[in-house]
Amino acid sequence: MEVAPRGVVVVETPYVAVDVDVLDRNVAGMAAAARDRGLDLRPHAKTHKCLEIARRQVEHGAAGLTVATVSEAELFAGGGFEDLFIAYPVWPSPGRAERLRALAERIALRVGVDSVESAGLLAKAVGPLDVLVEVDSGHHRSGVRPGDAARVAEAAERAGHRVRGIFTFPGHGYGPGLQQQAARDEAAALSEAASDAPVRSGGSTPTAALAGAGPLTEIRPGVYVFGDAQQVELGTCDWEDVALTVVATVVSRTGNRAIVDAGSKVLGADRPAWATGFGRLPEHPDARIVALSEHHATVEFPGEAPARGDVLRVAPNHVCATVNLADELVVVRDGTEVDRWRVAARGANT
Amino acid sequence: MEVAPRGVVVVETPYVAVDVDVLDRNVAGMAAAARDRGLDLRPHAKTHKCLEIARRQVEHGAAGLTVATVSEAELFAGGGFEDLFIAYPVWPSPGRAERLRALAERIALRVGVDSVESAGLLAKAVGPLDVLVEVDSGHHRSGVRPGDAARVAEAAERAGHRVRGIFTFPGHGYGPGLQQQAARDEAAALSEAASDAPVRSGGSTPTAALAGAGPLTEIRPGVYVFGDAQQVELGTCDWEDVALTVVATVVSRTGNRAIVDAGSKVLGADRPAWATGFGRLPEHPDARIVALSEHHATVEFPGEAPARGDVLRVAPNHVCATVNLADELVVVRDGTEVDRWRVAARGANT
């Protein structure tokens, strides 16, 4: 194994590298922060989709895992995780109902509902479940208005479910300067919806540091394990907290512009309007990825671009998308490959 | 197998469905159009990554296939395709050089070069290859200026390669009303670079219909096999030409807004500034996908949104990204599943 300057392991580019020391620091740090504030931590496993990382989170005291889909739940249940929350308004199509029933018999399973209709259909198709009512705290995606949560909870109870509480995702905190407001909205929505529910569960990496004084009993951040360019640009982590990067080679260049072989098929194409580009280069903080094709990132440097053949690290904008494109993560410590982790739940969308 | 209204097969959503009759019409149509204009057709296989679709293209007279990476070339060579062009400025890192050499011994292989340096290194690391010099026709990604092509071609010949010709990708045709200009730029660049080169190869689905009268000898469109929302919005195909859609379920709704379970992890997050949203619904042409999360698309309808549990078809913005997220394609004919095709080159980025 050859090692390039700046501790980059040389394998075939592009590949996804995870610095395990940075990862472990992130896992331990969020666990300690939640504990200090008396909050349960139920990390969202959709970010990493890896059994190895989930084990580290549980070893650091996570109360369980959050997942987005039934197939993610099946994967993590198969890996030995016995307390899972599907934080999604699961619709019980016939095949999915059968799978949910099998899961609920096997592990401690919580499922999201956001309507009287879905609560009723879940009861009919699957049977009684532990459910949490989803509340919209301002992201305006799924979830009921806070004032409607009690109605849905009562209907769910009548349908036979055990209502464990409420949850929300303050996704509108994904914008510059919006974290404080999103955290306030989250707290207000959960208070209004059911301040006495046993479980009052909230997001999210951008707002996690702001949770605690309010009504939350649980947080579900995901991205914090790796960090990404979005989080750095939002100010919720620093470059030294970014554990996952795509390692890429300069394949073409002219003047201050280099083309590297990490495109949207390895980085993902996520690019919020406020982002400075399609990802960032931690070792070149003033460089910008001005265009992205499937196998080309066009990088503009403030001065002369690196040479052809140079190996660079690229932090993706949104690390969840990057991981879901990779079959495995190359695990490095001090620039040396120490392991490979399978992205076991890659593509687990159903 | 249950069949929903509008001929949608009911399997677990979200899934990627390909209407094989529409696909076959697209494959045959592009083949005929190229033949009529005396152009070789070398379709880009990065779009479909499927052996079954590549076979259909060759059966319709494709001169060979285009791929983007060495690993795609390995995959298609393994599937019996013996004439492949890696339309990329391949950088010969040690592992990649070894793999290129093995491929070149086994099949008719063409490789892109866009610098004297890469031509020299390829010769040294791999040995003599059939190369095409990449020319920048206005997309400003990789490729040399047309006036520099002769210099790179001469250097490649001196290094021992067999220079088969030149190629360009007029990617700046991906914008409303830009196809004519991009096709003119493509023709001008190829004429200036080497109007007497045996192979003068160009793009691309948006510009393919405009190629022919100029200096091109070969076209390399990819997306045309499936079509996508981008192509419809660019005016280069119609809804009835869109062969691939993601089938999704309404999981939540309020008023004119529905949340469906096809998010960025199945559709991809590509969204050019000129697109009307994050994909389109062929059966609801006035609906718009106004937001996209990993497992939620937020769809606004002109009137009342469909009911929870309704099954809808979503055309992704950029079908190449969608296919690269899927492990298999559900092949349908008249709304009935007739086959599954493996996305054999999924994730083949190296």
Side-chain angles (χ1 to χ4, degrees):
Chain A
M1 183 67 53
E2 228 182 305
V3 176
R6 301 184 222 93
V8 174
V9 182
V10 180
V11 295
E12 207 89 84
T13 64
Y15 66 90
V16 181
V18 173
D19 185 313
V20 67
D21 291 330
V22 178
L23 173 85
D24 282 342
R25 204 171 66 219
N26 293 343
V27 168
M30 186 63 82
R35 203 164 39 237
D36 288 351
R37 286 174 291 154
L39 294 170
D40 283 341
L41 175 62
R42 187 180 284 274
H44 211 312
K46 75 178 166 67
T47 300
H48 55 70
K49 292 175 172 278
C50 279
L51 299 175
E52 292 83 350
I53 298 178
R55 277 183 208 121
R56 290 167 130 85
Q57 292 175 315
V58 170
E59 281 163 16
H60 277 85
L65 299 176
T66 304
V67 297
T69 65
V70 177
S71 50
E72 282 185 349
E74 290 168 334
L75 189 289
F76 283 100
F81 296 88
E82 302 195 325
D83 189 340
L84 303 177
F85 171 35
I86 308 176
Y88 193 83
V90 177
W91 190 260
S93 60
R96 200 141 30 209
E98 188 49 52
R99 293 159 58 207
L100 273 172
R101 195 180 310 120
L103 272 172
E105 283 171 6
R106 182 171 165 204
I107 61 162
L109 181 73
R110 298 174 180 182
V111 173
V113 297
D114 81 340
S115 67
V116 172
E117 191 183 356
S118 65
L121 267 180
L122 276 169
K124 213 161 105 178
V126 186
L129 289 167
D130 287 2
V131 302
L132 274 74
V133 176
E134 184 173 8
V135 176
D136 178 6
S137 56
H139 187 40
H140 304 321
R141 198 173 62 178
S142 46
V144 297
R145 281 170 303 199
D148 291 333
R151 185 175 58 81
V152 175
E154 284 155 22
E157 292 274 5
R158 273 198 308 276
H161 297 303
R162 300 167 292 272
V163 178
R164 303 291 303 270
I166 52 177
F167 76 106
T168 192
F169 173 62
H172 57 309
Y174 273 78
L178 300 179
Q179 290 77 57
Q180 294 278 358
Q181 185 61 50
R184 278 195 297 269
D185 293 345
E186 172 184 57
L190 292 178
S191 292
E192 184 188 347
S195 59
D196 58 348
V199 177
R200 303 182 298 273
S201 176
S204 84
T205 297
T207 53
L210 309 168
L216 281 80
T217 64
E218 174 181 284
I219 53 173
R220 307 186 315 276
V223 169
Y224 77 96
V225 292
F226 296 132
D228 57 24
Q230 261 182 193
Q231 297 299 326
V232 171
E233 295 196 347
L234 290 174
T236 57
C237 77
D238 295 314
W239 287 122
E240 60 262 33
D241 306 319
V242 173
L244 183 150
T245 49
V246 171
V247 183
T249 300
V250 176
V251 297
S252 183
R253 72 181 290 286
T254 43
N256 73 329
R257 247 178 35 132
I259 308 295
V260 303
D261 61 1
S264 59
K265 279 183 172 166
V266 60
L267 292 170
D270 293 59
R271 194 215 186 286
W274 48 264
T276 64
F278 291 91
R280 291 283 293 274
L281 282 65
E283 279 79 33
H284 300 271
D286 297 324
R288 291 292 178 271
I289 303 181
V290 297
L292 197 67
S293 309
E294 288 159 58
H295 298 280
H296 309 68
T298 304
V299 191
E300 286 184 1
F301 291 81
E304 195 73 359
R308 285 188 196 87
D310 273 13
V311 172
L312 306 174
R313 297 197 312 139
V314 182
N317 271 347
H318 184 195
V319 73
C320 303
T322 311
V323 169
N324 188 48
L325 287 160
D327 292 313
E328 62 179 9
L329 309 178
V330 177
V331 185
V332 301
R333 169 171 284 137
D334 298 330
T336 302
E337 179 180 334
V338 294
D339 207 350
R340 302 239 173 160
W341 291 340
R342 197 165 76 84
V343 184
R346 201 214 70 72
N349 292 319
T350 57
Chain B
M1 182 67 56
E2 229 182 304
V3 175
R6 299 183 222 92
V8 173
V9 182
V10 180
V11 295
E12 207 89 85
T13 64
Y15 65 91
V16 181
V18 173
D19 185 313
V20 66
D21 290 331
V22 179
L23 174 86
D24 281 343
R25 205 172 64 220
N26 294 342
V27 168
M30 185 65 80
R35 202 164 39 236
D36 288 351
R37 287 173 290 153
L39 294 170
D40 285 340
L41 174 63
R42 187 180 284 273
H44 211 312
K46 75 178 167 66
T47 299
H48 56 71
K49 292 177 172 276
C50 279
L51 298 176
E52 291 84 352
I53 299 177
R55 276 182 210 122
R56 289 168 131 82
Q57 292 174 316
V58 170
E59 280 163 17
H60 277 85
L65 298 176
T66 305
V67 296
T69 65
V70 177
S71 50
E72 281 185 348
E74 289 168 334
L75 190 288
F76 283 100
F81 297 88
E82 302 195 326
D83 189 340
L84 302 177
F85 170 35
I86 308 176
Y88 193 83
V90 178
W91 191 260
S93 59
R96 198 141 31 210
E98 187 50 51
R99 292 160 57 206
L100 274 172
R101 195 181 309 121
L103 272 172
E105 283 170 6
R106 182 172 165 201
I107 61 162
L109 181 73
R110 299 174 180 182
V111 174
V113 297
D114 81 341
S115 67
V116 173
E117 192 182 355
S118 64
L121 267 180
L122 275 169
K124 214 161 104 178
V126 186
L129 288 166
D130 286 2
V131 301
L132 273 76
V133 176
E134 183 173 7
V135 176
D136 178 6
S137 57
H139 186 42
H140 304 321
R141 198 171 65 178
S142 46
V144 297
R145 283 170 302 201
D148 290 334
R151 185 175 57 80
V152 174
E154 284 155 22
E157 292 275 4
R158 274 198 308 278
H161 296 302
R162 300 167 293 271
V163 177
R164 302 290 303 271
I166 54 178
F167 76 107
T168 192
F169 173 63
H172 57 310
Y174 272 77
L178 300 178
Q179 290 76 58
Q180 295 278 0
Q181 185 59 51
R184 278 196 296 270
D185 293 345
E186 173 183 55
L190 292 178
S191 291
E192 183 187 348
S195 58
D196 57 348
V199 177
R200 302 181 298 275
S201 177
S204 88
T205 296
T207 54
L210 309 168
L216 280 80
T217 64
E218 173 182 286
I219 53 174
R220 308 186 314 279
V223 168
Y224 77 96
V225 292
F226 298 131
D228 56 23
Q230 261 182 192
Q231 297 299 327
V232 172
E233 296 197 348
L234 288 175
T236 57
C237 78
D238 295 316
W239 287 123
E240 60 262 32
D241 305 320
V242 173
L244 182 149
T245 48
V246 172
V247 183
T249 300
V250 176
V251 297
S252 182
R253 72 180 292 285
T254 43
N256 75 329
R257 247 178 34 134
I259 307 295
V260 303
D261 61 1
S264 60
K265 279 181 172 167
V266 62
L267 292 170
D270 292 60
R271 194 213 185 287
W274 47 264
T276 64
F278 291 92
R280 290 284 292 274
L281 282 65
E283 278 78 33
H284 301 271
D286 297 325
R288 291 292 178 270
I289 303 182
V290 297
L292 197 67
S293 308
E294 288 158 58
H295 298 280
H296 309 68
T298 304
V299 191
E300 285 185 0
F301 292 81
E304 195 74 358
R308 287 190 194 86
D310 273 12
V311 171
L312 306 174
R313 298 197 312 138
V314 183
N317 271 347
H318 182 195
V319 74
C320 303
T322 310
V323 169
N324 188 47
L325 287 161
D327 291 314
E328 62 179 9
L329 308 179
V330 177
V331 185
V332 300
R333 169 171 285 137
D334 297 329
T336 302
E337 179 179 336
V338 293
D339 207 350
R340 302 238 173 162
W341 292 339
R342 200 164 76 83
V343 184
R346 202 213 70 72
N349 292 317
T350 57

